[in-house]
Structure formats: C-alpha cells, structure tokens
Amino acid sequence: MQLVAFDTETTGLDVQKEHIIQLSLVKVETADWSVVDQRDWYILPEGDFTIPAEAEAVHHISKPFLLEHGVSLRSVYDDLVAFTEGCDFLSYNGNGYDAPILHYNLQRLGLDFRFEGRTWYDALLLERIHTAGMVDENGEKVHNNLTSAYTRYYGHPFEGAHNSLDDVMAPIEVFKAQVA
C-alpha cells in the first residue's frame, strides 16, 4: 500500500482565511517504508498577503523569498491531484489543520480536492490514544506535539521542525513506530 504524507507551512492558524506558503508531500511504500517520490513547493499566494512576524519566526519563510521562489497553488494543482491518485493519506494533525487549510486554499481558487474514498491516518490522533493518561518523569501530562512524539520513539528530536518537507518525514517515522 502507498501512503502520501503531507504537511503545510502557512501564514497563520485560521484554516479558512490563511494561505499555504509551503506544501510538501512524500509518497511511501508501507511494505518497507521506502520513499517512492516527493514534492515540495513554496507557494506564492494569489493576491495580497502578509506573513506575520510570529509565523515567519516559526517557519523562516519570508514574503521576499516567496516572491522570488514561490509558485502558485493553481500551477501545481494538476501535479498534486496526479501525485495523490489512488493513495491514502498520512499526517500529524492533518484532520484538524492541514487538510482543511488545503481545502479552503483550493476553494478560494475555484479548485477542489477530494479526500473521500481514501483512508486518512492522523498520527497525532493515534499518539493521543497511545499516551492517554501518561505522565513524564516530572509527573506532568505527556505532550503530543510532533517533536515530543518523535523523541519518545527515537530518543532525540527530529531535525528541521517547521519546514514542511521535514515535518512530513517525521510523521512517517512516528507512524511507522506506532504501527510496529
């Protein structure tokens, strides 16, 4: 079975109003967890947009960088659809954030992307089930952010947090450990 893991970096947290500025997808073969293919686009939003300083401080993507290196979401749409054809999906908090923000960004462009008929694996939801009621060595509730989950499984934080291509690879590793 092939899964497409994906992640976004955005201008903010409101899934209905904010813009995707990086979209990364990695296709893996679950038989051996090998990477089949990947896509990584810096997305230049259509029309006027801003990247608040607090968002840029997290993902380090600036408006001048996008103006120079970004492509429109409309221009990668056909590749996005073809790349994901027949695949199920994997994310970390994709149900709550990445899938909805992709939906609304495409909707604003008059485009549609259908998740129906595919299985959606959200490693965050699995991690919440796995760690329910757990406490750390200080007696505090275990955190379920991606870095904490990855560190629990592998003993060290993953490199490159808040770059969507790196943020795609970490959930693959977390999901692989969860299903093992």
Side-chain angles (χ1 to χ4, degrees), residues 15 20 97-108 111-113 115:
V15 297
I20 293 173
Y97 188 75
D98 298 286
I101 201 163
L102 178 61
H103 167 77
Y104 286 112
N105 273 249
L106 291 170
Q107 186 179 57
R108 284 195 298 264
L111 303 170
D112 193 19
F113 187 82
F115 291 107

Side-chain angles (χ1 to χ4, degrees), residues 17-37:
K17 296 178 182 169
E18 301 296 345
H19 298 280
I20 293 173
I21 56 175
Q22 187 181 12
L23 175 60
S24 302
L25 303 99
V26 175
K27 188 181 296 185
V28 295
E29 178 56 57
T30 59
D32 62 1
W33 295 103
S34 60
V35 173
V36 175
D37 203 356

